[in-house]
Amino acid sequence: MIFISIHAWCWGFFGHRHINYHAVFLLPPEMLIFYKQNISFITEHAVDPDKRRYAVNAEGPRHYIDLDHYGKAPYADLPRKWKDAVDRFSEDSLNQHGIGPWWVQVMMARLTNAFRGQETSKILRLSAEIGHYLADLHVPLHACSNHNGQHTNQQGIHGFWESRIPELMAEKQWDFFIGHAAYINDPLSYIWDRVVESGAAADTVLLLERALSNRFPPDQKYAYEERNGVIIRQYSSRYSLAYNDALNNMVERRMKMAIYAVACFWYTAWANAGQPSLKALSGPALNEADQKEFAEMNLSWQNGTAKGKTCD
Ligand SMILES: [Zn+2]
C-alpha cells in the first residue's frame, strides 16, 4: 500500500478539466467547431492558473475572495466595481482578501481582444484560463476566509467538497446536459451574483460537515481507497456520499452552473468582438515563448511550494 500526500487543487485537476471540457458543448456551431478541434488544449490548460501559483506571487488572490471579511450577505458595503473598491479599501487590502470577481473582468477583456485580433494561441490560452477562474468562484469555500475549515477544526473540507465528491460522482452519476450558452449583458454583475451565492453557501458547507462528522462513526470517516490509481487515506466513499446527500447535491449544481458560466463568458467575449469567423484558425499554434512559459510553469509547480493561500 502506498501512502502519499497529494495537493488538493481548486476544484481539483479533475474538476477544472471536466468543467472546461463540458463547456465546449454548450457553444453555438460557429464556435463549437474551433473549440472541439482544440478541446484537449482547453481541457489540459484548465489548470494552468493553479500551476502558476507556484511561480507568481500575484497569482494567489485571483482565485478567491473572502466575502465574510466584508460583513454579511449581500455584502452591500463592498463596491462591485474595481475602481470603487480600490478607493474604499486600497489595492493592498483587496489583494489580501482575494480579487477573484475583478480578475475575471480583466481576463474577459483580454479574451475579447484576442478574438478581435484572431490570435489563435491567445484565444485558447485565455479561454482555458478564464474557465478556471470562473469555476473557482462557484465554490463556496473560495468565497470564505475559513477556506479549508482551519478555524473550525475541519481541515481538509476544501478538497473534500471540490475534489473528492466530484471525482467520486461526476463521471458516473451526474449528467451534464445543460443547454446552450447565452449572451451575458453584464458580466460583472453576473459573476458577482454567483460569488455572493458562493459566500452565502459557505456556512452550509461547513455546518453540514460538522453535523455529519458528529453523528458518523469516527472509524468510518476515513478509509484507504483508490485515487488516480493510488491507494491513499481519504474521506471514505460512505462518508462522502452521506455528505453529498446532506448537501442535497450542491456540488453537482455548482459544477453545472460553473460549466454554464464558462460557456456563456466564452460566447459573450466572441460576440462582443463582433463574432469573428473562427474557421480559418487552426491548432493551438504555440510559439516558442508559449512553450518556454509552459515548461517553466510546470517546473516550478513540480518543485516548488505555492505562494499564498492554497486549496491544500
Ligand atoms: Zn484555482
Side-chain angles (χ1 to χ4, degrees):
M1 188 176 289
I2 305 170
F3 183 61
I4 52 166
S5 92
I6 35 179
H7 293 295
W9 297 94
C10 312
W11 269 120
F13 272 22
F14 170 84
H16 278 299
R17 287 179 175 139
H18 200 80
I19 288 166
N20 273 9
Y21 179 89
H22 283 277
V24 167
F25 298 94
L26 274 55
L27 294 171
E30 304 95 301
M31 295 182 78
L32 184 64
I33 299 172
F34 173 71
Y35 276 76
K36 241 170 112 179
Q37 267 168 10
N38 294 289
I39 198 162
S40 49
F41 183 95
I42 296 273
T43 308
E44 198 52 37
H45 289 270
V47 293
D48 283 0
D50 274 343
K51 291 183 176 174
R52 197 178 296 116
R53 299 171 87 153
Y54 290 74
V56 176
N57 278 325
E59 184 59 38
R62 299 170 184 167
H63 299 243
Y64 66 90
I65 182 163
D66 293 338
L67 278 185
D68 50 315
H69 174 73
Y70 302 99
K72 296 229 170 294
Y75 316 99
D77 285 348
L78 175 61
R80 282 9 180 200
K81 289 189 176 152
W82 173 250
K83 205 185 155 304
D84 299 342
V86 170
D87 289 348
R88 176 93 198 263
F89 294 106
S90 90
E91 200 165 334
D92 273 1
S93 158
L94 292 175
N95 263 302
Q96 223 180 326
H97 302 285
I99 56 165
W102 297 298
W103 185 250
V104 163
Q105 311 310 312
V106 173
M107 294 298 286
M108 190 61 174
R110 288 181 185 173
L111 179 59
T112 310
N113 277 333
F115 276 123
R116 275 196 196 109
Q118 306 217 354
E119 298 170 275
T120 310
S121 120
K122 276 194 185 167
I123 293 171
L124 291 172
R125 290 182 61 173
L126 293 164
S127 295
E129 295 201 8
I130 197 172
H132 179 103
Y133 298 112
L134 287 163
D136 274 355
L137 295 173
H138 284 71
V139 175
L141 292 178
H142 276 251
C144 169
S145 62
N146 190 15
H147 75 282
N148 195 20
Q150 74 276 22
H151 301 319
T152 44
N153 201 20
Q154 292 173 282
Q155 282 88 348
I157 190 171
H158 197 105
F160 185 30
W161 191 99
E162 68 176 22
S163 296
R164 177 69 173 133
I165 289 183
E167 285 173 21
L168 201 60
M169 309 196 66
E171 224 133 359
K172 287 186 197 128
Q173 310 200 27
W174 295 349
D175 88 74
F176 289 98
F177 184 75
I178 295 164
H180 300 295
Y183 181 79
I184 299 174
N185 282 316
D186 183 351
L188 183 70
S189 357
Y190 183 94
I191 197 58
W192 270 111
D193 287 348
R194 299 294 83 74
V195 171
V196 168
E197 287 164 6
S198 289
D203 274 354
T204 307
V205 166
L206 291 157
L207 291 173
L208 289 178
E209 200 277 331
R210 158 64 42 81
L212 178 65
S213 182
N214 287 341
R215 69 170 191 268
F216 212 80
D219 60 332
Q220 292 172 29
K221 183 169 171 178
Y222 299 97
Y224 285 93
E225 292 182 23
E226 189 263 330
R227 186 189 194 216
N228 300 329
V230 180
I231 304 286
I232 57 165
R233 186 172 182 270
Q234 56 185 331
Y235 292 97
S236 68
S237 298
R238 261 193 70 203
Y239 191 73
S240 307
L241 296 176
Y243 185 45
N244 186 58
D245 282 348
L247 288 168
N248 194 18
N249 300 320
M250 184 205 283
V251 185
E252 179 184 8
R253 272 199 311 280
R254 294 308 278 172
M255 187 179 251
K256 281 185 173 175
M257 289 182 79
I259 293 169
Y260 180 72
V262 171
C264 292
F265 273 69
W266 290 345
Y267 173 58
T268 302
W270 175 73
N272 288 344
Q275 307 196 347
S277 166
L278 303 178
K279 271 193 192 134
L281 308 183
S282 62
L286 296 183
N287 57 30
E288 242 174 71
D290 287 333
Q291 308 271 21
K292 197 165 160 251
E293 199 188 320
F294 287 136
E296 280 170 4
M297 192 163 62
N298 276 326
L299 202 67
S300 51
W301 163 58
Q302 277 153 6
N303 299 332
T305 40
K307 302 174 194 300
K309 188 159 107 175
T310 71
C311 301
D312 288 344

